[in-house]
């Protein structure tokens, strides 16, 4: 990892009407790391992700990705920047009327001028990279298991060979074996492709298995960022209960 942040958020304020979600939030993500983002209900984890990728505008503050501003830029500049990241929303967010191949092809069709045959070849490569069998290409999401749908969503997220992947609750709804397999896949592809991973999750096993650091959202800001060992040393009640409570100790392999 380098010392230059690949994602930098400064003074972020988020409001929905009179409700303030973030107030002066700061965060930096290093190139090549897997950063887990955790927090209680209503702390704005997914909202933060959506703001970083330009789907929501903050009330105040500055967001830079790959050294470029996300807001206040031209449509052409944002389009070029957007090609450098991939996103997997909760549940995989696949289009039910499209096959796996067609879903994975969407970024290639929207953001490139590649011929159809080449798009199909690249989609097939991504599908195999995430561990799906070749016959999954022609299936619709309803014909897949939950774990397979997540993998298909991940394949679509890496369709354009991005530098950053944003994952929103990637293991939610999976059984422990399926969740562990997806964690392994994320770690392997990070290493193989040189990805930076911004991962919103509540899964303690995922945090322990693959995250280099964890950012804790609380009190309308990033309360702390560090390794799990560093966070467990903090006296904050929510942080202590989350990482050192019964589930946190179990995920850490403690009795």
């Amino acid at each position: 990892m380098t010392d230059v942040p690949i994602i930098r958020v400064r003074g972020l304020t988020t409001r929905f009407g009179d409700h303030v979600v973030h107030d002066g939030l700061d965060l930096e993500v290093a190139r090549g790391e897997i950063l887990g983002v955790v927090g209680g209900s209503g702390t704005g984890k997914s909202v933060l992700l959506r703001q970083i990728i330009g789907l929501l505008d903050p009330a105040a503050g500055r967001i830079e990705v790959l050294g470029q501003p996300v807001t206040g830029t031209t449509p052409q500049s944002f389009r070029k920047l957007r090609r450098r990241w991939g996103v997997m929303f909760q549940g995989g967010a696949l289009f039910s009327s499209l096959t796996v191949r067609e879903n994975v092809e969407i970024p290639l069709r929207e953001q490139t001028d590649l011929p159809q045959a080449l798009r199909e070849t690249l989609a097939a490569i991504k599908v195999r990279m995430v561990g799906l069998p070749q016959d999954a290409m022609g299936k619709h999401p309803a014909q897949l298991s939950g774990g397979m749908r997540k993998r298909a969503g991940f394949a679509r997220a890496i369709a354009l060979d991005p530098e950053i992947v944003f994952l929103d609750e990637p293991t939610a709804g999976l059984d422990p074996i399926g969740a562990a397999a997806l964690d392994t896949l994320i770690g392997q592809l990070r290493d193989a492709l040189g990805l930076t991973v911004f991962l919103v999750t509540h899964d303690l096993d995922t945090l322990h298995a693959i995250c280099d650091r964890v950012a804790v959202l609380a009190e309308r800001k990033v309360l702390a960022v560090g390794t799990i060992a560093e966070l467990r040393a903090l006296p904050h009640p929510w942080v202590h209960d989350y990482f050192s409570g019964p589930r946190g100790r179990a995920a850490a392999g403690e009795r």
Side-chain angles (χ1 to χ4, degrees):
M1 293 183 293
T2 67
D3 294 331
V4 179
I6 196 168
I7 299 171
R8 179 185 281 118
V9 181
R10 284 287 181 269
L12 186 73
T13 298
T14 307
R15 296 192 189 96
F16 295 103
D18 294 331
H19 178 57
V20 179
V21 179
H22 306 132
D23 188 9
L25 182 151
D26 296 331
L27 179 64
E28 292 185 352
V29 182
R31 182 179 290 275
E33 78 172 328
I34 299 179
L35 179 81
V37 179
V38 303
S41 177
T43 54
K45 301 180 294 295
S46 295
V47 169
L48 175 60
L49 184 156
R50 288 173 178 269
Q51 287 177 320
I52 293 173
I53 64 174
L55 292 182
L56 293 173
D57 289 331
R62 183 174 178 83
I63 301 171
E64 294 180 356
V65 178
L66 294 156
Q68 301 180 45
V70 171
T71 58
T73 186
T74 65
Q76 294 83 0
S77 295
F78 180 71
R79 180 181 176 87
K80 290 180 181 178
L81 181 60
R82 190 180 65 179
R83 288 184 60 172
R84 300 173 69 183
W85 68 60
V87 186
M88 188 178 86
F89 294 106
Q90 293 186 29
L94 300 174
F95 292 98
S96 60
S97 61
L98 303 180
T99 65
V100 168
R101 176 185 60 77
E102 291 167 336
N103 268 282
V104 176
E105 277 189 55
I106 288 174
L108 297 165
R109 188 167 59 247
E110 291 181 344
Q111 301 192 51
T112 74
D113 296 321
L114 297 174
Q116 175 66 25
L118 183 53
R119 291 202 306 265
E120 291 182 2
T121 298
L122 291 174
I125 291 171
K126 303 305 181 183
V127 166
R128 294 303 297 269
M129 285 177 67
V130 300
L132 287 174
Q134 195 68 24
D135 63 5
M137 291 277 289
K139 294 182 178 180
H140 289 81
Q143 298 174 285
L144 305 176
S145 67
M148 293 176 74
R149 285 195 296 272
K150 300 271 191 177
R151 288 173 182 262
F154 197 9
R156 187 174 63 189
I158 62 172
L160 291 171
D161 295 323
E163 297 171 59
I164 308 170
V165 174
F166 295 90
L167 306 177
D168 195 357
E169 298 284 4
T171 60
L174 298 182
D175 62 79
I177 295 174
L182 189 60
D183 288 341
T184 299
L185 174 67
I186 293 169
Q188 289 174 339
L189 290 183
R190 184 276 298 268
D191 295 340
L193 303 178
L195 297 171
T196 300
V197 181
F198 184 100
L199 191 158
V200 172
T201 187
H202 67 277
D203 192 329
L204 282 155
D205 290 330
T206 295
L207 298 175
H208 280 275
I210 61 172
C211 290
D212 299 300
R213 295 189 303 152
V214 178
V216 178
L217 269 58
E219 301 172 10
R220 301 177 178 174
K221 61 184 180 182
V222 174
L223 183 72
V225 184
T227 64
I228 292 177
E230 291 169 341
L231 295 176
R232 292 185 71 180
L234 297 178
H236 190 275
W238 189 90
V239 177
H240 178 271
D241 290 346
Y242 188 82
F243 289 104
S244 298
R247 291 180 182 273
R249 292 197 304 272
E254 302 172 359
R255 292 184 178 275

